[in-house]
Amino acid sequence: MKEVVGEAEVCVVGAGAMGLSAAYQLARRGTEVLVLERTYPGLESSAANAGTLGLQNKPLAAIPLVLRAVEMWRQFTDELGVDVEYEKRGGLRLAHSSEDVEQLEKGVAAQRAAGVDTEIVYQPELSRIAPYLDSRVAAGSYCPDDGMANPLASIRALLKGAVGSGVRVWNNSPVRGIEALGDDDFLVGTPRGLVRCRAVLAAAGAWNGVVARMVDVSLPLTTDILQVVTTDMAPPIFPHIVTHVRGNLTVKQSRSTGRVLI
Ligand SMILES: Cc1cc2nc3c(=O)[nH]c(=O)nc-3n(C[C@H](O)[C@H](O)[C@H](O)COP(=O)(O)OP(=O)(O)OC[C@H]3O[C@@H](n4cnc5c(N)ncnc54)[C@H](O)[C@@H]3O)c2cc1C
């Protein structure tokens, strides 16, 4: 039996964007938080993503949270003292065929009812506001609140905010087991020894299923593989965040580097 080497009110498992953000928000509200990270903060999805902060590509159930998140992103640079390069770029969600347009119209009606500021732009108006598009694109929904940020800077900002609010982060500390002693009493196993806490927050991204199994919970999680492709630096080509009604594709150009991210 290992000895107890640390205590906290909440142990957060994983120092990606989710874990650091949760730790920061808890600490701001006076909770004592210890983050346990398998390697180092932000080495997994949170640093390898495309940085799109879109409203139009989110499920309806998530919209109330996403609207709040937009307000939080607007303030992060000032609040955390690190430039996260957040920009409201305006997003265009495209439709080619008549079926696509029908799907877009339904989606926009539902999103507007949920409070998203979005409207459909048809040809020829679409070509006027987005002359870079092929004329075969029949319509697009425009949302001024679709935005983007720099994922690497965002991790630095969240880490700074969390640590500055009193959060402790243990690197090279994979959680290997969790023992529930009571409803609000847990022992968390790490290579350094055990940590005793009142709650465990699983923020291990794609590995959350592994963490849940440590307390005999089976989560119905599956993993999708996403990829980001980046071009070389280029002069400004298009300002919008472009998505398509039929899939997960996002295309945008970074203002700071000129690279197009797909
Ligand atoms: C290619 C790609 C593009 C994407 N593009 C976008 C986009 O444009 N916009 C968008 O909003 N989202 C995008 N995403 C999704 C986004 O990146 C993720 O939703 C987000 O980063 C998840 O954050 P997380 O903190 O939950 O997970 P992660 O960043 O994966 O962090 C989990 C952390 O938990 C740690 N961990 C795991 N197991 C343990 C353990 N047992 N003990 C301790 N620590 C552990 C890991 O080491 C890791 O640091 C993209 C993802 C990918 C892969």
Side-chain angles (χ1 to χ4, degrees):
M1 181 76 178
K2 283 188 169 169
E3 63 176 307
V4 174
V5 293
E7 293 198 356
E9 276 179 89
V10 176
C11 268
V12 174
V13 185
M18 298 298 172
L20 291 175
S21 176
Y24 168 56
Q25 297 297 344
L26 283 167
R28 287 179 72 202
R29 289 160 178 78
T31 304
E32 191 202 354
V33 184
L34 172 62
V35 178
L36 299 169
E37 167 52 47
R38 183 176 60 176
T39 56
Y40 290 93
L43 290 190
E44 301 292 349
S45 286
S46 297
N49 64 65
T52 305
L53 299 167
L55 284 93
Q56 299 198 77
N57 59 355
K58 295 296 180 302
L60 275 184
I63 293 298
L65 289 174
V66 177
L67 289 170
R68 247 185 97 193
V70 168
E71 287 313 307
M72 292 169 81
W73 276 102
R74 275 158 53 100
Q75 291 157 19
F76 271 160
T77 292
D78 289 341
E79 183 181 322
L80 301 171
V82 175
D83 184 2
V84 299
E85 297 174 30
Y86 173 70
E87 290 182 74
K88 263 194 194 185
R89 280 288 190 86
L92 275 174
R93 193 160 181 76
L94 307 183
H96 278 82
S97 65
S98 52
E99 290 83 23
D100 288 349
V101 174
E102 202 178 313
Q103 191 180 332
L104 194 70
E105 286 167 342
K106 275 191 196 145
V108 164
Q111 288 222 327
R112 285 175 69 91
V116 178
D117 178 6
T118 177
E119 61 174 333
I120 302 216
V121 185
Y122 299 91
Q123 293 288 17
E125 174 66 4
L126 182 62
S127 288
R128 200 189 59 73
I129 67 164
Y132 55 86
L133 286 177
D134 190 288
S135 58
R136 284 172 297 179
V137 180
S141 56
Y142 178 73
C143 171
D145 293 329
D146 280 346
M148 62 187 285
N150 178 329
L152 296 171
S154 302
I155 283 292
R156 280 198 300 278
L158 287 169
L159 183 60
K160 183 176 175 215
V163 171
S165 306
V167 171
R168 288 170 292 151
V169 181
W170 288 5
N171 296 327
N172 294 315
S173 299
V175 169
R176 293 188 171 150
I178 301 171
E179 186 184 349
L181 303 174
D183 283 349
D184 57 1
D185 193 4
F186 296 89
L187 286 175
V188 179
T190 77
R192 292 194 200 190
L194 297 170
V195 178
R196 192 161 192 167
C197 59
R198 292 169 60 85
V200 180
L201 195 153
W207 298 272
N208 258 344
V210 178
V211 175
R213 276 199 294 280
M214 293 176 188
V215 284
D216 298 326
V217 172
S218 172
L219 293 178
L221 293 178
T222 54
T223 314
D224 276 351
I225 308 287
L226 294 179
Q227 293 184 60
V228 179
V229 179
T230 174
T231 67
D232 220 333
M233 295 176 183
I237 305 169
F238 60 103
H240 302 117
I241 291 167
V242 180
T243 57
H244 199 277
V245 71
R246 256 184 281 133
N248 279 336
L249 179 74
T250 66
V251 187
K252 60 189 174 294
Q253 185 171 24
S254 159
R255 279 211 176 102
S256 56
T257 67
R259 294 177 198 278
V260 177
L261 290 165
I262 304 159

